[in-house]
Amino acid sequence: MSSAQIEIQLIGIVVAAACALPGVFLVLRGMAMMSDAISHTVLLGIVLGFLVTGDLESPWLMFGAAAMGLLTVSLTELLNRTRLVKQDAAIGLVFPALFSIAVILISRFARGVHLDTDAVLLGELAFAPFDRLMLLGALLPRSLVVMSIIAIVNLVCLLAFYKELKLATFDAGLAAALGFSPALIHYGLMGLVSITAVGAFDAVGSILVVAFMVAPAAAGYLLTDKLERMLLYSVGLGALGAVGGYWMAHLMDANIAGSMATVIGLLFLLCLLFAPQRGLLAVSARQRRQRWEFAQTMLTIHLLHHEGTPEAEVENRVDHLHDHLRWEPAFAQGVVQRADERGLVRLENGGLYLTDAGRGLATTMLADKR
């Protein structure tokens, strides 16, 4: 493996980690699409910064992009507070407007500059190792240095304000009652999202920024209920997607950013299907098991209701369950078999009799209902 290949994968891993940390809170707050809006509208800040300074290396470009990210959040919030437009619609109004202004400015005043829309949307990680800077005597890829600094800033802010972020995310009312400012925390988080989007923007493009912020966090949400684990899982899945995406692009001779986004999407799909508690297969198996358990409980209640009565000889027969409980014969046989295996009922000559365990279950369920 060449040094360029290693550096590209390292850049992908660092970008994934930097994006996943604020991305978790965006997903938990139901604001995942805000990352999409910010990752596009920061282009306007970059373009305005370039038009003012005439230098693509100027730090004012990052300042302008971060300010534009905050402006995007502010305009969206203002529209949402009118109660005439919902948040998703507000994002849909603000983001295309600001992004289209940036595209017009590029086509009118910045043609030939490395700000074309293809680079903005897709990025080009393959070129990242060629853009280097000297740091502490070592010549390192600029994207790796910038994103490492941003990842450290995100981690430090997360550790410093973890309690406030957690409280404001899950219960903003309680956070305000305890003296915290949910609005300040909100805009601080959006500031981190803006800076992260700007830093990742040049190396990986806006599409991969959105993928790194949303997909690993959404997958992590499916895997755990613990915020700490969700953060770790999100970073890990993002890094796995970066490495897997690179080798997919290498084998298919395809765009690296697009391949990384594809692998991250596949990882989310795997989590969606196979997550232990919230995956579709687990949910389906749980619903199927609960359906059988509910039917067995209904059977014990039915038998208890007629137990010791003259009608028991007729009502408590397997072939009578279809008439009384509207169960198909095959389903009724399945319920009886499972109840027999659990020791809830006893089957004798077509008649059903409650065991002590079955009688106890029915009595308990009726008592809870009362």
Side-chain angles (χ1 to χ4, degrees), residues 2-253:
S2 68
S3 60
Q5 289 178 314
I6 295 174
E7 288 174 353
I8 290 172
Q9 292 176 76
L10 280 177
I11 293 170
I13 291 171
V14 172
V15 172
C19 290
L21 294 177
V24 164
F25 293 95
L26 288 179
V27 169
L28 290 175
R29 288 166 173 250
M31 301 179 66
M33 289 312 297
M34 188 62 79
S35 64
D36 187 24
I38 291 176
S39 65
H40 284 79
T41 57
V42 292
L43 178 63
L44 180 56
I46 293 174
V47 174
L48 292 175
F50 171 73
L51 293 178
V52 172
T53 64
D55 181 8
L56 275 176
E57 306 298 328
S58 171
W60 286 103
L61 270 65
M62 180 168 285
F63 176 79
M68 196 56 63
L70 291 176
L71 179 64
T72 303
V73 176
S74 300
L75 292 176
T76 303
E77 293 290 333
L78 284 175
L79 278 175
N80 191 33
R81 284 178 187 174
T82 63
R83 300 184 183 278
L84 298 174
V85 179
K86 292 186 177 179
Q87 188 176 50
D88 56 343
I91 292 173
L93 290 167
V94 173
F95 136 56
L98 298 180
F99 185 66
S100 58
I101 293 173
V103 172
I104 291 172
L105 291 176
I106 289 174
S107 61
R108 183 69 180 83
F109 301 108
R111 286 180 181 172
V113 181
H114 183 58
L115 281 174
D116 57 278
T117 51
D118 286 342
V120 167
L121 294 175
L122 298 177
E124 189 45 85
L125 264 172
F127 296 149
F130 298 104
D131 185 13
R132 309 180 83 87
L133 58 78
M134 186 67 71
L135 181 69
L136 302 177
L139 194 60
L140 300 171
R142 181 185 300 276
S143 298
L144 182 60
V145 174
V146 171
M147 288 312 301
S148 296
I149 294 172
I150 291 176
I152 292 172
V153 170
N154 286 347
L155 182 61
V156 169
C157 290
L158 178 64
L159 293 174
F161 301 101
Y162 180 76
K163 180 177 62 177
E164 291 82 355
L165 272 170
K166 184 177 181 179
L167 189 57
T169 297
F170 291 106
D171 194 336
L174 179 60
L178 293 176
F180 300 116
S181 172
L184 187 60
I185 296 170
H186 174 72
Y187 282 102
L189 175 63
M190 293 303 126
L192 289 180
V193 172
S194 300
I195 293 172
T196 305
V198 174
F201 191 74
D202 186 48
V204 302
S206 62
I207 291 177
L208 192 52
V209 171
V210 177
F212 274 142
M213 281 195 178
V214 177
Y221 178 75
L222 293 172
L223 294 175
T224 181
D225 291 328
K226 303 289 185 183
L227 179 57
E228 299 86 350
R229 291 181 185 177
M230 185 177 170
L231 288 163
L232 291 176
Y233 291 162
S234 300
V235 172
L237 288 169
L240 184 61
V243 176
Y246 171 77
W247 287 107
M248 176 181 169
H250 181 74
L251 294 173
M252 298 179 64
D253 191 23

